[in-house]
């Protein structure tokens, strides 16, 4: 039988979030390989059977956290977009926001691009948030094209470039050499990311605008 604490948490709808928080902390401390429902229950301080009230298996738990991560990412991307003075500035700000998100939320970031979890079509919530992020990028590219600060034509290549720069830099920032690279030149990952974003904006503005 679950403990009184577990019953209370479950009764008040807090058990699900408690388990997800414990799972994220475990991923950040020991990696995804350490995650099992039994281990997550132990880290959350609940009975071994408690997770099954919300998550029938490990994959369901990880997919739920992945969806939560995409939701948080989209929130940060939208804030970066809304704080920019012009569409081309927003594109650079969104790249920087992507890297900031990954550095601040490494557990989410590592899950969101795990091969078996990155196929968001397997999870309707994760898919919806991922598509919202892509639509925001596409709308911003179209706005930059209308403003004459991005090359005209099919926006898909530019959307892909924005997403690839954001995701690629994010992964390098948490699992790659960006900190060492930045330190070697007397800089920081945040400063290097800002420089990459500024270069991207300049490249867009300098690109030929003819049809």
């Amino acid at each position: 039988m679950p403990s009184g604490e577990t019953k209370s948490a479950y009764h008040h709808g807090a058990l699900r979030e408690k388990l997800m928080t414990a799972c994220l902390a475990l991923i950040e401390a020991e990696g995804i390989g350490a995650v099992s429902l039994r281990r997550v229950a132990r880290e959350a301080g609940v009975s071994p059977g408690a997770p099954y009230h919300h998550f029938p298996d490990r994959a369901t738990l990880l997919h739920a956290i992945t969806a939560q991560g995409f939701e948080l990412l989209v929130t940060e991307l939208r804030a970066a977009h809304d704080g920019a003075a012009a569409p081309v500035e927003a594109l650079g700000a969104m790249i920087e926001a992507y890297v900031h998100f990954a550095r601040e939320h490494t557990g989410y970031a590592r899950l969101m691009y795990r091969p078996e979890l990155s196929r968001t079509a397997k999870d309707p919530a994760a898919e919806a948030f991922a598509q919202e992020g892509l639509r925001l990028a596409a709308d911003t590219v179209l706005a930059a094209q209308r403003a004459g600060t991005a090359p005209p034509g099919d926006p898909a290549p530019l959307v892909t470039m924005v997403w690839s720069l954001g995701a690629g830099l994010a992964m390098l920032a948490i699992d790659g050499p960006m900190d060492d690279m930045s330190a070697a030149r007397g800089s920081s990952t945040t400063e290097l990311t800002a420089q990459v974003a500024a270069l991207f904006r300049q490249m867009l503005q300098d690109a030929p605008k003819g049809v």
Side-chain angles (χ1 to χ4, degrees):
M1 288 291 290
S3 66
E5 179 186 353
T6 299
K7 285 181 179 179
S8 176
Y10 178 56
H11 177 71
H12 290 96
L15 176 59
R16 187 175 189 273
E17 289 303 314
K18 187 173 186 177
L19 291 165
M20 292 171 71
T21 298
C23 185
L24 271 173
L26 183 59
I27 291 169
E28 290 177 0
E30 300 183 29
I32 298 171
V35 174
S36 68
L37 290 185
R38 180 174 291 273
R39 177 69 188 280
V40 169
R42 184 164 73 246
E43 296 296 319
V46 298
S47 71
Y52 294 94
H53 288 301
H54 292 286
F55 306 108
D57 52 35
R58 175 181 182 270
T60 305
L61 171 60
L62 294 179
H63 275 295
I65 296 172
T66 300
Q68 196 175 60
F70 273 110
E71 180 180 17
L72 181 57
L73 172 61
V74 169
T75 298
E76 295 200 13
L77 292 176
R78 190 165 293 284
H81 171 277
D82 293 347
V88 72
E89 298 293 329
L91 291 172
M94 289 163 65
I95 292 170
E96 293 183 69
Y98 209 129
V99 177
H100 178 267
F101 164 82
R103 286 173 66 83
E104 291 295 312
H105 306 285
T106 56
Y108 283 124
R110 290 195 172 102
L111 272 180
M112 289 160 63
Y113 291 95
R114 184 85 173 187
E116 69 271 27
L117 296 168
S118 62
R119 299 179 182 88
T120 55
K122 292 183 177 180
D123 184 90
E127 175 69 6
F129 289 121
Q131 289 302 317
E132 185 179 347
L134 286 171
R135 282 195 299 274
L136 177 61
D139 290 346
T140 309
V141 166
L142 288 169
Q145 289 177 323
R146 288 193 296 270
T149 52
D154 182 3
L158 279 179
V159 173
T160 302
M161 186 180 295
V162 171
W163 205 255
S164 298
L165 276 172
L169 287 170
M171 292 300 98
L172 286 174
I174 64 171
D175 287 326
M178 276 190 74
D179 282 339
D180 292 339
M181 289 169 56
S182 301
R185 58 195 291 270
S187 181
S188 68
T189 292
T190 299
E191 290 171 339
L192 182 56
T193 301
Q195 291 169 341
V196 171
L199 179 60
F200 173 70
R201 292 193 302 267
Q202 193 62 52
M203 289 172 63
L204 287 186
Q205 293 173 302
D206 291 346
K209 302 302 190 295
V211 178

